[in-house]
Amino acid sequence: MQVDLGNVLDTASSHGVSRETLERLDGRVAAAHDRIERGREAGEHGYESLNLPNSTDPAAIRDAVSRFDDPSAVVTVGIGGSALGAATLTDALESDVDAYYLDNVDPEAVERLLDSLDLSSTVVNVVSRSGTTAETLANFLVVQEAMADAGVDWADRTFVTTGEEGNLRDLADQHDLPSLPVPDGVPGRFSVLSTVGLAAAALCGHDIEAVLEGAAAQEARLSDSLFDSPAYAYGAVSYALAERGLRQNAMMPYAESLETFSEWFAQLWAESLGKDGLGQTPLRALGATDQHSQLQLYRAGPRDKLVTLVRATEREDVSIPETDLDGLAYLGGSSLGELLDAEFEATEASLAAAGCPNVRIELDRVDEYGLGELLYAMEAACVLYGELASVDTFIQPAVEWGKRAARGLLGGGDFAEADAVEEKSRLVVE
Ligand SMILES: O=P(O)(O)OC[C@H]1O[C@H](O)[C@H](O)[C@@H](O)[C@@H]1O
């Protein structure tokens, strides 16, 4: 994996950063790296996540899920960090096992999915770090009932990944459900390389060892200089650009297989860095599709965006048939991959020409190893950015208010803000 900062350095814009700026920042990168390494060595909350390439035991995960013979589908019930990492992997990789995610509690979507499945050959993978998240527990209760109604022994088809305490742990103990623990010190959005993210991938038959090997390769590249580490280069430049007013980061992979990766990145970047009035708002885009949708804004709208372009340099390709249609001869004999690459490079050049900084991230392939590299590098980039910005990367207090208020409104707690939600003034126009 490599990170090309050419269009950040060269961009003739007040937002671009010069090589000298980065050299000055590099002293702070060294200090941040030192802090990160100390945190990792002491197993401190959050920093521990960067140890996962070595501390995760893939054989234990494989062993734990091996009891499920040949499932037709895996439904992961989880939300946020308990779904997006696993979904990034299973959406990117091909498998004979269909992977689905019940994260939202949209009743129509839940019903539609459950109606479409053969529940007798489906594995239900329930994931919650805290074991108390309302959406996850509610969806699980619904799935449980649907299985019972279909005459399926739900306890026989359910697998749980959760912490040592919480409602989900109680449920797993009560029904003797097979389970895996969530490692200590690993927040949900940093848990893709643990049991949380890898169990679904293992159930789908993916090579989870290779995911960890890819991650380990990026871990080995962490160093006290941003010029030696792709992960730190990306984190430091994103921070430097945010400081110059680029408060939005459009993650734009040129691979459909990486569309869910942008969702995962959005949670990582938003929850980790959006604090104390700081942060960089993640935007989700897909190349080439969003060239025909959002690119107008990126190029000519407010000058507040970094665009991150991601692609794989090797992939399967499809040739474009020759045609004698007027004006289309240039396409014939070429391939869809060549067209996508041309679109990628044209977008990059067009953004640079308009003074819009953009970073290019290239993987060899979107395979298990490449995904491991990409996911680990983005996590390390985020941790470095958090250090440079002096925010507490590993907490998300702003999320808690809404969670508690929702529970209060359902009568599940005595949280006073629930009353505020009920009584706030409204303007209803009918
Ligand atoms: O894994 P869980 O404890 O169920 O948490 C799921 C999600 O809940 C909250 O919304 C947190 O802000 C997320 O960081 C977390 O990933």
Side-chain angles (χ1 to χ4, degrees):
M1 194 198 102
Q2 65 174 33
V3 171
D4 182 343
L5 303 180
N7 278 335
V8 165
L9 297 177
D10 298 343
T11 307
S13 131
S14 55
H15 294 305
V17 288
S18 64
R19 173 109 197 165
E20 292 70 40
T21 312
L22 292 184
E23 275 162 11
R24 276 197 303 279
L25 184 60
D26 211 27
R28 291 179 60 202
V29 169
H33 174 62
D34 185 52
R35 169 68 189 93
I36 292 167
E37 291 303 295
R38 278 187 281 114
R40 289 178 60 193
E41 269 165 44
E44 280 181 58
H45 182 72
Y47 298 99
E48 178 63 20
S49 317
L50 296 179
N51 293 333
L52 288 171
N54 301 308
S55 60
T56 297
D57 179 0
I61 297 173
R62 211 173 276 296
D63 189 47
V65 302
S66 64
R67 71 185 65 225
F68 301 105
D69 252 0
D70 217 10
S72 61
V74 176
V75 176
T76 296
V77 183
I79 196 165
S82 286
L84 291 171
T88 296
L89 294 171
T90 61
D91 288 354
L93 301 166
E94 276 187 41
S95 168
D96 292 338
V97 183
D98 294 327
Y100 300 97
Y101 291 84
L102 276 184
D103 50 0
N104 205 349
V105 281
D106 177 335
E108 290 177 339
V110 172
E111 194 167 60
R112 204 170 297 153
L113 175 65
L114 293 177
D115 285 350
S116 72
L117 293 171
D118 173 1
L119 294 174
S120 65
S121 59
T122 295
V123 175
V124 180
N125 173 40
V126 195
V127 191
S128 175
R129 186 179 182 282
S130 62
T132 60
T133 302
E135 291 90 338
T136 301
L137 289 159
N139 271 334
F140 180 40
L141 293 172
V142 170
V143 172
Q144 204 177 309
E145 188 177 70
M147 287 185 126
D149 288 350
V152 177
D153 179 355
W154 67 268
D156 207 41
R157 313 268 341 142
T158 301
F159 183 79
V160 166
T161 304
T162 193
E164 280 172 21
E165 289 174 6
N167 309 118
L168 188 55
R169 171 54 58 200
D170 295 343
L171 219 124
D173 290 347
Q174 194 184 342
H175 295 279
D176 207 16
L177 302 176
S179 69
L180 278 170
V182 175
D184 286 339
V186 178
R189 58 188 173 279
F190 287 89
S191 65
V192 57
L193 300 169
S194 76
T195 50
V196 173
L198 297 178
L203 280 160
C204 290
H206 299 309
D207 183 353
I208 58 174
E209 282 81 358
V211 175
L212 293 168
E213 279 163 27
Q218 282 305 310
E219 182 202 17
R221 299 288 310 275
L222 299 184
S223 85
D224 59 5
S225 171
L226 72 94
F227 298 104
D228 295 331
S229 165
Y232 283 171
Y234 184 70
V237 156
S238 301
Y239 164 75
L241 292 173
E243 288 285 287
R244 282 168 173 70
L246 296 190
R247 289 281 173 200
Q248 310 209 35
N249 187 341
M251 180 54 74
M252 192 169 182
Y254 274 65
E256 297 253 343
S257 55
L258 292 177
E259 204 170 359
T260 311
F261 160 72
S262 299
E263 287 187 51
W264 172 86
F265 175 80
Q267 186 198 5
L268 179 77
W269 223 242
E271 274 195 346
S272 302
L273 304 172
K275 280 154 203 166
D276 309 331
L278 300 172
Q280 193 177 46
T281 305
L283 306 174
R284 303 204 300 253
L286 178 68
T289 308
D290 277 299
Q291 282 178 223
H292 305 275
S293 165
Q294 301 190 56
L295 191 62
Q296 170 66 35
L297 174 80
Y298 295 176
R299 196 175 192 268
R303 290 298 165 88
D304 59 356
K305 286 170 208 61
L306 159 66
V307 181
T308 304
L309 302 158
V310 185
R311 74 169 169 188
T313 52
E314 297 163 28
R315 61 167 112 72
E316 306 302 318
D317 210 345
V318 173
S319 53
I320 303 173
E322 299 283 355
T323 173
D324 52 12
L325 275 176
D326 267 0
L328 280 187
Y330 76 98
L331 287 177
S334 165
S335 70
L336 293 182
E338 283 167 358
L339 179 57
L340 192 64
D341 283 343
E343 304 265 16
F344 179 100
E345 279 156 39
T347 299
E348 195 175 46
S350 121
L351 287 167
C356 302
N358 59 88
V359 172
R360 176 197 284 211
I361 298 179
E362 281 181 330
L363 308 174
D364 288 346
R365 292 188 78 87
V366 180
D367 57 9
E368 285 91 338
Y369 186 92
L371 287 163
E373 283 190 294
L374 181 64
L375 293 165
Y376 187 90
M378 292 299 109
E379 289 183 8
C382 181
V383 176
L384 180 83
Y385 183 137
E387 294 299 327
L388 295 173
S390 296
V391 294
D392 195 340
T393 307
F394 304 114
I395 58 170
Q396 58 285 335
V399 181
E400 299 303 327
W401 195 98
K403 263 178 132 171
R404 287 160 58 211
R407 210 174 301 145
L409 285 171
L410 285 169
D414 56 0
F415 187 54
E417 277 83 350
D419 300 334
V421 174
E422 293 242 63
E423 284 167 21
K424 75 176 183 204
S425 59
R426 291 175 193 281
L427 170 62
V428 180
V429 182
E430 285 185 276

